[in-house]
Amino acid sequence: MQKLQFEQAWDRTLSDKDRKMITALFKETSTSYNEEIHFTPVWQAKNYKGELLITVIMHNYQSEPLRIIEQPFIITYQKEKIAENIFSLPFKIDAKTSMPWTFIFPTGSFVGFEDLVEDGLASNRELRLLMKEPNRL
């Protein structure tokens, strides 16, 4: 059975409101997909540096841990690629575990999405974070 886990810093700093929202979204989506790894969008924003912040719940449905090291990711919006970057995470995601995380796409790694984020028009249902060729331990 899939379990929800928060990275230590998230566990200490996440507001009760956001924790409840993420937990409810986890309960809705933790059994919704047949994929080994799935990313459920939570929210998106731009920070003061103009970077694109994409928060997702990472679902590792595999029976083995997942480590993300130098892993290419893309974001699609309405099936069109709008961003690409390479990420490494400082932890592994245990088997049958889901965890929220925010991916930060630096300015210049995305196009055509800035206005949608600022205007609040980007629907989480139309936004997808995809990982190319997942790394396994």
Side-chain angles (χ1 to χ4, degrees):
M1 182 169 180
Q2 199 74 8
K3 66 180 178 176
L4 179 62
Q5 179 179 330
F6 292 92
E7 189 269 339
Q8 289 179 358
W10 279 63
D11 206 25
R12 286 191 316 270
T13 61
L14 194 62
S15 72
D16 287 341
K17 177 184 171 190
D18 287 344
R19 183 181 302 272
K20 287 177 184 173
M21 190 272 295
I22 288 170
T23 301
L25 186 57
F26 164 75
K27 288 177 182 177
E28 289 175 26
T29 62
S30 63
T31 59
S32 300
Y33 300 94
N34 294 326
E35 303 167 23
E36 290 184 340
I37 302 161
H38 183 78
F39 300 91
T40 299
V42 177
W43 57 68
Q44 65 275 335
K46 279 179 70 177
N47 66 13
Y48 69 97
K49 296 179 187 176
E51 298 167 317
L52 181 59
L53 313 176
I54 303 292
T55 301
V56 297
I57 300 174
M58 302 181 290
H59 300 285
N60 180 13
Y61 296 116
Q62 304 174 104
S63 56
E64 55 194 52
L66 173 67
R67 185 167 298 279
I68 297 175
I69 301 171
E70 296 294 315
Q71 187 68 56
F73 279 83
I74 62 169
I75 299 173
T76 63
Y77 180 70
Q78 296 179 338
K79 299 182 181 180
E80 185 175 328
K81 183 173 103 171
I82 57 164
E84 185 167 2
N85 202 28
I86 295 174
F87 293 95
S88 295
L89 300 184
F91 53 83
K92 69 177 191 241
I93 303 169
D94 292 332
K96 306 292 183 192
T97 300
S98 298
M99 180 180 291
W101 191 253
T102 300
F103 290 86
I104 302 173
F105 287 80
T107 303
S109 67
F110 55 93
V111 292
F113 194 62
E114 299 88 343
D115 295 334
L116 294 173
V117 172
E118 289 173 359
D119 295 339
L121 300 176
S123 163
N124 283 344
R125 299 195 192 290
E126 298 176 57
L127 183 76
R128 292 205 61 201
L129 178 70
L130 305 167
M131 179 172 52
K132 298 179 180 179
E133 303 174 25
N135 296 322
R136 291 185 167 72
L137 291 179

